[in-house]
Amino acid sequence: MVDLIGQPWFWPSLAVVVGLPILLLVLTELHSVIARRHPQAAKVVRLVRNFLVPLAALLILISQVQLGEKDLTWTRVAATFFGFALLLVVLNGVNVALFTRARPESWRARMPSIFIDIFRLVLILVGLGVLFAWVWGADVGGLFTALGVSTVVIGLALQNAVGPVVSGLFLLFEQPFRLGDWLDTGGVRGRVVEVNWRAVHIDTGNGIHIVPNGTLAGASFDNLSKAPGAFVVSITLPFSTDDPPHEVLDLLRRVADDLPVLAADHRPSAYPLGGAKYGVDIPVASPAIEAEATAQFHTVLWYAARRANLHLDNDLTDDYNTPERRLALFKSVASSLRLTQDEAEAFADRVLLQRFGAGEKLQHAGDPSPALRVIAVGTVALTSPVDGGGDIPLGRLTRGEMIGIGALTNEINPSDATAVDDVTVLSLPIAELEQLVRRRPQLARDLGTIFDQRKASARVAIDDSAARQGRALTQLGDVTR
């Protein structure tokens, strides 16, 4: 009887027969666990289970079969396939370990894709060289030597052409900018939309400007998206030499402070430049809204400068604010103030005709009103600001309705009032309003009733918003649990 245990192939074969199913079962369970947490790592485990382990078992079994001279060839073929599978597993494992879960600020995350591809190519060439030298006994030393010499010769011949490319590659490795950043190269300003091994594509708003990497590597440029704070929009404005500087500076700050694009927790600044010119710095969240911020500021400033009788662009030719138009508009809203047409005509020279641009605030929540304003043209939106940012809409006011209801009693405004479109109001200073109330006591009761209604409406809206936010947080907590 043949002694099976004493045969040289018995124990390797037993290890394959017993160990292969167990190892495949373990790898299957491991794949299921890892797939839920890290799909990329699960792919490596799947390669090991489906290819590397079965090929290793096949290699062990073939190496134990005695077929004369043929066994050596079949063993080498099996070893070659096993080597290919091992190389594939190593490549994927290195990629998962080094680059897949790299933190955003680490060197691994900054590594350009072309460097990773070159690293993979070198690893594949070295792996194939070791594999053929070990399995087939091939002399790969001469091949690598020839390849190295050829690389040196080609590099010397093309150093002028390759130099900028290499500089660009190192620029990519350093990564002084990323996709979405705003760059100012001196002649080009825009947002980076594509970065490859050869060039950077910059969206200037009028097309895509392509800048070679070597050009950027050899020149200086500004990354506007990496400012230490908010991006600052600087605007220079001319006024008249007759305008008091402190009034101009105060106007510029007030107008810039009300811009909706203003960055949170930042305040604008204004300063004289000499020669009746003034500068204003407006902090915004991103260079992408520079044009929007500039347009909003110029639009609103045009209205604000005329209300303040300041000469923006050295001009104050306002054909709109005439006595005839003021009288006509005041008569159209006289009933809101309990005035007859004759009384309105006698009282018209005491009111001010003021215009506000779309998006401009007529009153601020939490501030007292300097005057009672009656809307003659346009629409005004009432909103209540909430903690943490945002506004709650409370309604809209149109012709004949009033803003600054609490001016008579110096009450704090419960809401913001913002012009939806171009708005014209007739403003009654507090002194004139007091005289009007003495003649029309019922007007005081009307103002008090309107003020209480708006205050109650703002309180209800804020309570509803807080309740909805509380329910949303509760639902979010239920989902995360």
Side-chain angles (χ1 to χ4, degrees):
M1 182 175 180
V2 180
D3 185 11
L4 294 179
I5 299 179
Q7 296 297 320
W9 51 265
F10 177 79
W11 292 109
S13 301
L14 181 63
V16 171
V17 172
V18 177
L20 180 61
I22 296 176
L23 187 56
L24 291 178
L25 181 61
V26 172
L27 289 174
T28 301
E29 295 298 325
L30 181 62
H31 176 269
S32 301
V33 173
I34 297 179
R36 293 191 295 267
R37 300 181 179 179
H38 198 316
Q40 296 297 328
K43 293 181 180 179
V44 179
V45 177
R46 187 166 63 249
L47 288 174
V48 174
R49 181 194 63 187
N50 295 344
F51 297 99
L52 188 63
V53 171
L55 287 173
L58 179 64
L59 178 61
I60 294 174
L61 292 177
I62 291 179
S63 64
Q64 303 303 315
V65 179
Q66 301 296 325
L67 298 175
E69 293 296 330
K70 296 181 179 180
D71 65 332
L72 183 60
T73 301
W74 282 109
T75 301
R76 288 176 176 175
V77 171
T80 301
F81 280 106
F82 174 77
F84 286 152
L86 179 61
L87 184 59
L88 185 61
V89 170
V90 170
L91 287 173
N92 284 272
V94 170
N95 182 63
V96 171
L98 293 182
F99 304 110
T100 302
R101 304 192 70 176
R103 287 181 292 183
E105 299 301 327
S106 64
W107 65 270
R108 295 176 294 171
R110 298 197 308 267
M111 179 77 71
S113 59
I114 188 173
F115 282 4
I116 299 176
D117 294 337
I118 293 174
F119 173 74
R120 288 173 179 167
L121 178 61
V122 172
L123 189 59
I124 290 173
L125 293 177
V126 173
L128 291 177
V130 172
L131 177 63
F132 281 99
W134 174 52
V135 176
W136 298 95
D139 183 13
V140 297
L143 177 62
F144 281 115
T145 301
L147 182 62
V149 172
S150 301
T151 302
V152 173
V153 172
I154 293 174
L156 292 175
L158 300 177
Q159 58 180 336
N160 292 332
V162 176
V165 176
V166 174
S167 299
L169 292 178
F170 281 107
L171 177 71
L172 293 179
F173 180 75
E174 182 185 358
Q175 281 197 347
F177 54 83
R178 296 185 179 182
L179 289 178
D181 285 357
W182 283 73
L183 298 186
D184 187 349
T185 64
V188 177
R189 184 175 186 178
R191 183 172 61 90
V192 178
V193 295
E194 182 181 346
V195 179
N196 54 46
W197 65 272
R198 191 188 70 85
V200 176
H201 295 208
I202 300 177
D203 184 2
T204 63
N206 293 319
I208 303 298
H209 190 87
I210 300 175
V211 182
N213 292 331
T215 302
L216 285 179
S220 61
F221 56 88
D222 295 327
N223 188 338
L224 304 178
S225 299
K226 286 192 175 181
F231 178 77
V232 177
V233 179
S234 297
I235 302 174
T236 301
L237 299 157
F239 281 81
S240 170
T241 54
D242 295 332
D243 296 329
H246 69 279
E247 293 185 12
V248 175
L249 295 174
D250 181 65
L251 175 70
L252 295 176
R253 295 189 190 100
R254 284 190 288 107
V255 171
D257 215 14
D258 276 344
L259 293 179
V261 296
L262 195 67
D265 302 325
H266 288 78
R267 297 294 302 275
S269 60
Y271 43 87
L273 297 175
K277 291 185 178 181
Y278 298 83
V280 58
D281 291 339
I282 306 172
V284 296
S286 167
I289 56 179
E290 178 182 8
E292 180 182 359
T294 303
Q296 288 182 359
F297 181 76
H298 279 291
T299 301
V300 174
L301 184 63
W302 187 90
Y303 292 91
R306 277 159 173 74
R307 292 197 306 271
N309 293 320
L310 296 176
H311 302 75
L312 176 63
D313 295 326
N314 202 22
D315 178 37
L316 190 61
T317 55
D318 191 357
D319 297 333
Y320 187 84
N321 193 354
T322 62
E324 294 78 14
R325 180 174 280 108
R326 181 173 67 246
L327 176 59
L329 291 177
F330 189 59
K331 284 185 175 182
S332 68
V333 297
S335 59
S336 300
L337 300 174
R338 294 185 174 272
L339 292 175
T340 64
Q341 293 295 302
D342 293 337
E343 291 173 331
E345 186 171 355
F347 202 81
D349 58 346
R350 304 181 186 182
V351 300
L352 301 176
L353 183 65
Q354 297 178 328
R355 282 193 294 171
F356 293 82
E360 190 174 2
K361 286 189 176 181
L362 286 75
Q363 74 176 24
H364 298 77
D367 293 342
S369 296
L372 176 68
R373 291 168 174 159
V374 185
I375 302 174
V377 178
T379 304
V380 174
L382 294 180
T383 57
S384 179
V386 295
D387 295 336
D391 296 306
I392 302 173
L394 301 177
R396 294 194 173 190
L397 306 178
T398 57
R399 188 177 68 86
E401 297 185 278
M402 292 173 283
I403 307 167
I405 304 296
L408 183 62
T409 55
N410 199 31
E411 295 279 357
I412 299 299
N413 292 318
S415 61
D416 289 335
T418 307
V420 177
D421 46 22
D422 285 2
V423 173
T424 302
V425 299
L426 294 157
S427 179
L428 281 74
I430 295 178
E432 302 298 337
L433 179 61
E434 290 176 347
Q435 294 184 17
L436 182 59
V437 167
R438 292 192 187 99
R439 297 172 56 182
R440 292 288 187 272
Q442 183 61 34
L443 178 60
R445 290 190 290 270
D446 293 343
L447 296 177
T449 301
I450 296 174
F451 183 84
D452 291 339
Q453 291 175 349
R454 292 182 183 175
K455 191 173 181 180
S457 176
R459 186 181 301 110
V460 170
I462 292 174
D463 292 341
D464 289 345
S465 175
R468 287 194 300 269
Q469 185 177 7
R471 287 195 296 269
L473 292 176
T474 302
Q475 294 174 356
L476 179 61
D478 295 338
V479 171
T480 55
R481 280 197 292 269

